[in-house]
Amino acid sequence: MTMPTLRYEIKMTTAAYHLPEVQSWVRLHQAAFFERYPPRQVSSLYFDTLEGECLDANLIGAHERRKLRLRWYGTDLTAVQGILELKCKTGSLGWKEVFPLPNTLDLSQISWEILEQSLQEQVSEPFAVWPAYFNRPMLLTRYWREYYESMDRQVRITIDSELQAYEQFMHLTPNLTAPAPLADVIVVEVKADGDLHRRGSDILSSFPMRVSRNSKYVNGVLETLGAL
């Protein structure tokens, strides 16, 4: 398990038709952003407690929050090379505890009961306490992500588009056919290490969008609940 790095994360949303304008803003910015990685599809399976502890903590704006997700890249579901990530936040600072799974998973047909057993077998201490605690699959999200980094490597920007969310808590196996009715938006996230908050703020000062809180997990669950 890797040591966490404290960082600021500021998210902004806008209508999807603004994507070309946002891409131009990033590429023409004086910080000289370059493409850090090729764009790719990102998928995340979010877990919660039976009582919805993670959801409640976000909705009330708790000072300390945690959520567990299984993340993978690409479109193949039959041999997922997953990474368990515990996302933590204290105030405005966040970090991740990361545990790459040693074995691949077939998420195209696995039951949630079998997945829980597999995670318990693959995850070692001290991380193993988290999939045992957050053991209820709640939501699966997918989106297309672009990665940018400033020339001085102090600030990172990601742009997420083509967002999809699939409710899981009413199913015994992965639901991949009934997406929630999400708004057609893009999510832009500006990230900087904890001691570089001013650098990130300076870059945001010229951003042509309103800064707003955004959680793919919370938005997806709320939209799903509204559609039930």
Side-chain angles (χ1 to χ4, degrees):
M1 186 169 59
T2 59
M3 294 298 293
T5 299
L6 295 177
R7 65 183 184 182
Y8 286 97
E9 299 178 348
I10 305 174
K11 295 182 181 180
M12 297 153 288
T13 61
T14 190
Y17 60 79
H18 288 308
L19 178 59
E21 299 171 50
V22 174
Q23 292 170 327
S24 295
W25 175 84
V26 172
R27 292 166 179 162
L28 297 175
H29 196 278
Q30 61 182 8
F33 284 98
F34 63 95
E35 192 173 70
R36 185 68 179 86
Y37 304 105
R40 56 186 175 179
Q41 179 174 283
V42 181
S43 299
S44 297
L45 174 62
Y46 289 92
F47 298 85
D48 208 331
T49 64
L50 185 63
E51 298 79 14
E53 180 180 313
C54 299
L55 178 64
D56 288 345
N58 192 289
L59 290 175
I60 67 174
H63 183 69
E64 294 189 3
R65 304 194 296 273
R66 292 187 179 93
K67 60 186 174 187
L68 183 71
R69 68 189 180 196
L70 174 66
R71 170 159 288 190
W72 66 95
Y73 303 97
T75 59
D76 182 21
L77 290 173
T78 62
V80 168
Q81 191 64 62
I83 304 169
L84 272 176
E85 298 181 345
L86 181 72
K87 289 207 69 177
C88 309
K89 197 160 189 179
T90 298
S92 57
L93 280 173
W95 69 95
K96 289 192 298 188
E97 296 181 13
V98 179
F99 190 98
L101 297 178
N103 302 325
T104 60
L105 299 166
D106 183 353
L107 295 182
S108 65
Q109 56 186 358
I110 196 170
S111 71
W112 293 138
E113 181 180 3
I114 297 300
L115 175 62
E116 182 180 350
Q117 294 175 1
S118 178
L119 294 181
Q120 292 298 322
E121 293 170 356
Q122 294 192 55
V123 180
S124 60
E125 297 293 347
F127 198 94
V129 64
W130 299 116
Y133 185 72
F134 298 114
N135 60 5
R136 185 184 187 188
M138 289 288 288
L139 189 80
L140 191 152
T141 64
R142 291 173 171 170
Y143 47 87
W144 187 253
R145 170 163 283 187
E146 302 173 34
Y147 301 82
Y148 299 93
E149 189 170 38
S150 60
M151 189 59 66
D152 60 12
R153 299 187 180 276
Q154 292 186 344
V155 179
R156 299 168 298 284
I157 292 179
T158 56
I159 304 175
D160 298 338
S161 58
E162 301 178 29
L163 278 67
Q164 295 179 311
Y166 299 82
E167 169 268 314
Q168 305 299 327
F169 56 86
M170 298 289 288
H171 299 263
L172 298 177
T173 58
N175 164 33
L176 300 168
T177 59
L182 297 180
D184 192 12
V185 299
I186 60 172
V187 179
V188 181
E189 188 169 3
V190 178
K191 310 173 187 182
D193 289 348
D195 57 348
L196 295 171
H197 182 243
R198 181 174 295 276
R199 180 79 172 104
S201 297
D202 289 344
I203 286 176
L204 279 175
S205 64
S206 64
F207 200 82
M209 290 166 52
R210 180 177 62 87
V211 176
S212 61
R213 290 182 61 193
N214 181 278
S215 168
K216 296 184 183 72
Y217 172 60
V218 172
N219 291 346
V221 171
L222 293 181
E223 289 291 347
T224 296
L225 290 174
L228 291 178

